Amino acid sequence: KYLHTCAIVTSRQLGETDRALEMYDQVLELDPSLDRALTEAIELRDGKGDYQGVEHLLKVQLEGATAKDDVDTMLATFERLGGLYKDKLGWMSEAIDAYEAAQTLDPDNIERNELLAKLYASDPAQYLDKAVAAQVPILRRNPYKPEPYKLLRKLYTDAKRADAAFC
């Protein structure tokens, strides 16, 4: 606890981010179950632009949430990992994996399903079947919306499947 308090003071009062991160690393090494210290370390690393460090800490957070069977924390962590991979690191396949894991925990999330559909569509050579399957629930919700049909045509055209593109 004392080391955690020292890390808080170092980062907030003294503004020494690097030294505070070293202290947070020591805190988490001694007691990885301190969720507050983990969250603060993630925020500091994110603010510093150390995205691979953020990824490591998010995976630590995910392991802790999995051990506790804390579905809400697991879901939030998968969402955050997906956003980190997609927006900060540009790793689309890892982003898709993280969002798919979140979708297995919360399959009724419409926004995440649409995001996955867009991510699948960004690489139809690798994810054609998943991209097409992701359009089905979107079409069931609103069959009169033209965008999914246009996207399906584009997906099939890019994959050089002319028959499917016109049907």
Side-chain angles (χ1 to χ4, degrees):
K1 276 190 132 176
Y2 294 115
L3 195 55
H4 181 216
T5 304
C6 188
I8 292 170
V9 170
T10 303
S11 71
R12 294 183 189 166
Q13 302 299 322
L14 301 176
E16 296 181 18
T17 306
D18 293 333
R19 179 72 182 125
L21 284 171
E22 290 173 16
M23 290 180 198
Y24 277 121
D25 289 342
Q26 291 173 0
V27 168
L28 293 171
E29 187 177 310
L30 294 171
D31 188 3
S33 66
L34 280 175
D35 293 334
R36 185 170 171 215
L38 186 59
T39 302
E40 291 166 357
I42 290 170
E43 294 304 319
L44 277 179
R45 288 201 185 277
D46 191 34
K48 187 179 172 193
D50 179 12
Y51 300 124
Q52 293 191 352
V54 172
E55 176 198 20
H56 170 72
L57 291 175
L58 286 172
K59 287 182 178 182
V60 168
Q61 186 176 43
L62 187 60
E63 289 172 10
T66 303
K68 295 180 207 172
D69 200 27
D70 184 357
V71 176
D72 292 335
T73 303
M74 289 169 45
L75 188 59
T77 306
F78 277 129
E79 285 276 345
R80 187 130 185 225
L81 268 171
L84 176 73
Y85 289 141
K86 180 174 77 73
D87 299 329
K88 306 288 185 185
L89 296 172
W91 301 346
M92 290 306 157
S93 62
E94 286 84 356
I96 289 171
D97 291 343
Y99 285 126
E100 284 177 343
Q103 197 68 9
T104 60
L105 295 173
D106 182 21
D108 298 328
N109 189 301
I110 295 169
E111 293 84 18
R112 190 180 316 107
N113 187 43
E114 290 179 0
L115 177 62
L116 273 168
K118 288 178 186 174
L119 289 174
Y120 293 145
S122 70
D123 188 5
Q126 185 173 358
Y127 299 109
L128 177 65
D129 293 336
K130 289 183 178 183
V132 171
Q135 295 302 315
V136 172
I138 295 170
L139 287 170
R140 284 195 179 127
R141 275 192 310 277
N142 188 356
Y144 303 109
K145 192 174 177 182
E147 289 82 18
Y149 295 108
K150 290 178 183 177
L151 181 61
L152 283 172
R153 180 179 167 99
K154 181 181 179 325
L155 288 171
Y156 284 127
T157 302
D158 289 348
K160 302 195 182 341
R161 294 173 74 184
D163 288 342
F166 289 103
C167 295

